[in-house]
Amino acid sequence: MQDQKKMMLQIEEYSLIKDSDDPKDIDKCQRLLTVLFSKMDLIIKGMISSPAYNFWKYAEYDDLFQEARLAILVSLKKDQYSSEKGTVFNFFSTVVANNLKNYTTSTNKRKKDFVFQELSQVNNSLMMYDQNYDKSLIVDETFTV
């Protein structure tokens, strides 16, 4: 509970100074983000490896991790969190879950589209495939050339 309160105060402080051009404020923003992400990384790691979601099955762990960190950073920059929306943990775990669902869905769709494109190039009607008794693939075209 104390971590939640500390994080809420840090998020509020970050929101107040994030748009400042003062070098002290920029440095302070960096320090606040470092502290916040030390806690947020635990949420992210838990979400990626959670059996409830199984995100790790659908994409590389590092890609998922960076995508989740980016989602949290964007929500912090846009001031999307407020204490009325719930606890810090609930809000950011929802942000991470929704963004990782979108990310894995879109990357898997692109992979499927790529595979279908490759198959359409391989399944050329001009190429006739036969199989010999040695269980190796023979292409008739290669012998006529």
Side-chain angles (χ1 to χ4, degrees):
M1 196 63 162
Q2 288 181 340
D3 284 343
Q4 295 262 355
K5 289 180 183 177
K6 284 181 188 177
M7 289 176 74
M8 284 174 36
L9 292 173
Q10 290 167 344
I11 290 169
E12 287 174 16
E13 188 175 358
Y14 174 78
S15 294
L16 293 174
I17 62 172
K18 70 177 169 75
D19 295 326
S20 174
D21 292 332
D22 185 22
K24 290 179 184 177
D25 288 341
I26 292 171
D27 187 45
K28 191 169 188 173
C29 279
Q30 292 299 321
R31 282 184 280 144
L32 284 171
L33 285 176
T34 302
V35 171
L36 282 170
F37 275 109
S38 68
K39 300 288 184 192
M40 297 290 184
D41 288 350
L42 298 174
I43 295 172
I44 295 169
K45 288 175 185 177
M47 296 290 293
I48 291 172
S49 58
S50 169
Y53 296 107
N54 290 327
F55 291 124
W56 54 272
K57 288 182 178 180
Y58 304 111
E60 294 290 324
Y61 183 85
D62 293 336
D63 294 340
L64 293 169
F65 191 78
Q66 290 301 321
E67 197 66 30
R69 282 186 120 204
L70 183 64
I72 289 174
L73 185 62
V74 167
S75 69
L76 285 171
K77 293 265 185 198
K78 291 182 178 180
D79 290 328
Q80 291 178 339
Y81 173 73
S82 68
S83 57
E84 292 87 35
K85 291 184 179 181
T87 63
V88 173
F89 174 80
N90 288 340
F91 179 77
F92 287 110
S93 61
T94 303
V95 167
V96 168
N98 290 340
N99 281 286
L100 290 182
K101 283 178 191 175
N102 292 339
Y103 176 75
T104 55
T105 302
S106 66
T107 55
N108 286 326
K109 184 178 179 185
R110 277 183 270 156
K111 283 180 187 176
K112 286 178 187 175
D113 290 344
F114 178 74
V115 168
F116 288 133
Q117 287 172 357
E118 291 295 315
L119 285 176
S120 66
Q121 292 173 0
V122 170
N123 290 335
N124 188 347
S125 62
L126 299 174
M127 297 182 77
M128 300 293 293
Y129 297 103
D130 291 325
Q131 194 168 9
N132 67 5
Y133 296 107
D134 296 331
K135 304 231 187 262
S136 60
L137 195 62
I138 299 174
V139 179
D140 288 339
E141 237 176 42
T142 57
F143 293 111
T144 59
V145 174

